[in-house]
Amino acid sequence: MPADSTITVAAPVAHREPKQWLDQRLPYPPEYVEGVSRPLSTTLVDSIGADTVAPHIMTQHQAEIYAEQQWADSIVAARAYAEAHSGHAEGLPAEAMPPAFGQIDPLGVIVAASLAAAGLCAGGIRRALRSYRTALWSVRRRQNAFDDTHKAPLRASVMLAMLMVVFGGLALYCALPCSMSPTFAGAMCAVAAVGLYYCFQYCAYTAVGYAFATPQGRSMWLAGFVATQAYTGLTLVVPVLLMLFLPDWRGPLLWVCCALFLAGKLIFIGKGLRIFFHKIGSLLYFILYLCALEIIPVLALYAGLSWVEAWIAA
């Protein structure tokens, strides 16, 4: 090898390491991050962008694809909305309303006729009620000079008894489970049952008074029965009307009707006790009277009417 010859060493070929992009989704070239020692993480920025505007900058091709997808989704959504018929154009099928007392026209006519008839003889009813105030509780054999000794007009007495029968029967019908789907036949059966019960009570009290009391005592006892029934029927008008036209109030109003009926019964029983009770031995007869004429007939009336209503419904 000559002395002046030099050894030429080839310079090593520079190996260029590929630079890492900031984000694989970004369309930036590698030279954009030339000189960056470590890649930047855009996770936080993307998460914020995903919740706000856009996670990254889209290319024109991606924007066109996204627009086509949005258009297709809008067409599908519009078609689905069109298939969901709302009924505003062709209407909805008719559905029957649940039965209620307000839909029974003959019953409303009967109730209105009863109130109208009572209103036509309001003067006689006022006189009858003044006469009944003494008959409710008094057991005096001789009347005071200041007592109202006038008898109640017959027409007014009949009208008050009719109010008791009509509105007492409707109150009894509302207490039955079958009244949730009321019928005119069922309501009339209840009214007829209360009318028969009224006649039975009057006849039974007449027989008991004839057997165990003096004629004057029997007259006072029957007058007390008529008076308590008149006041009870008159006070039942408002709660029964509310039950007929406001079914949601049925529960509390039934308790009100029961309280009014029991109040009238207790007043009548108290007056009977004052008339018939003379010594301790008569207490046994009075207990038998309570069972035979006050408790058993009421239970039998309710049970029999329930059976009749179930038979009509079947």
Side-chain angles (χ1 to χ4, degrees):
M1 177 179 294
D4 56 353
S5 62
T6 59
I7 299 174
T8 303
V9 179
V13 179
H15 179 69
R16 184 176 179 179
E17 296 181 358
K19 299 298 182 177
Q20 188 175 3
W21 290 16
L22 289 177
D23 193 338
Q24 298 296 330
R25 295 172 297 176
L26 298 177
Y28 303 136
E31 290 78 6
Y32 181 81
V33 294
E34 188 73 28
V36 178
S37 59
R38 55 179 299 180
L40 297 178
S41 177
T42 61
T43 304
L44 179 61
V45 177
D46 290 342
S47 64
I48 296 175
D51 296 335
T52 55
V53 181
H56 59 278
I57 300 174
M58 294 185 296
T59 63
Q60 183 178 0
H61 179 66
Q62 291 175 340
E64 292 176 355
I65 294 176
Y66 182 74
E68 292 177 357
Q69 291 178 352
Q70 292 293 328
W71 177 79
D73 292 342
S74 64
I75 294 299
V76 173
R79 184 178 301 171
Y81 177 78
E83 292 176 357
H85 297 288
S86 60
H88 66 279
E90 65 274 8
L92 298 176
E95 295 181 359
M97 295 181 62
F101 284 100
Q103 301 175 6
I104 306 176
D105 295 334
L107 182 62
V109 171
I110 291 175
V111 172
S114 301
L115 295 177
L120 290 176
C121 59
I125 289 178
R126 284 196 297 268
R127 290 193 299 271
L129 293 178
R130 284 198 301 267
S131 177
Y132 288 158
R133 282 185 303 183
T134 305
L136 279 176
W137 189 250
S138 177
V139 292
R140 285 184 301 181
R141 267 60 177 177
R142 293 183 178 181
Q143 298 294 332
N144 196 319
F146 298 98
D147 291 339
D148 188 3
T149 57
H150 298 286
K151 291 185 178 181
L154 179 60
R155 182 180 177 184
S157 300
V158 172
M159 292 304 305
L160 290 173
M162 181 197 67
L163 290 178
M164 175 59 196
V165 170
V166 172
F167 289 95
L170 293 178
L172 178 61
Y173 183 63
C174 290
L176 297 174
C178 58
S179 64
M180 300 304 295
S181 298
T183 59
F184 179 72
M188 288 299 100
C189 285
V191 172
V194 172
L196 293 176
Y197 178 64
Y198 187 96
C199 297
F200 165 77
Q201 283 183 305
Y202 191 86
C203 295
Y205 295 149
T206 302
V208 171
Y210 182 82
F212 296 98
T214 61
Q216 191 175 12
R218 181 177 72 252
S219 177
M220 287 189 296
W221 199 37
L222 292 176
F225 167 72
V226 174
T228 53
Q229 295 299 300
Y231 277 103
T232 301
L234 198 60
T235 54
L236 284 176
V237 172
V238 174
V240 169
L241 287 177
L242 290 177
M243 275 194 297
L244 295 182
F245 298 101
L246 295 175
D248 295 339
W249 297 7
R250 176 176 300 186
L253 291 173
L254 279 177
W255 286 107
V256 173
C257 294
C258 291
L260 294 174
F261 178 77
L262 288 177
K265 276 297 180 182
L266 290 177
I267 293 174
F268 176 68
I269 291 173
K271 183 174 182 179
L273 184 62
R274 296 174 63 191
I275 293 174
F276 292 99
F277 185 78
H278 299 290
K279 53 184 179 179
I280 196 65
S282 60
L283 185 61
L284 177 61
Y285 294 104
F286 196 78
I287 294 175
L288 293 176
Y289 145 74
L290 290 178
C291 295
L293 295 182
E294 300 297 345
I295 299 177
I296 295 178
V298 174
L299 298 179
L301 175 66
Y302 185 84
L305 190 58
S306 300
W307 180 83
V308 171
E309 293 295 335
W311 179 74
I312 292 176

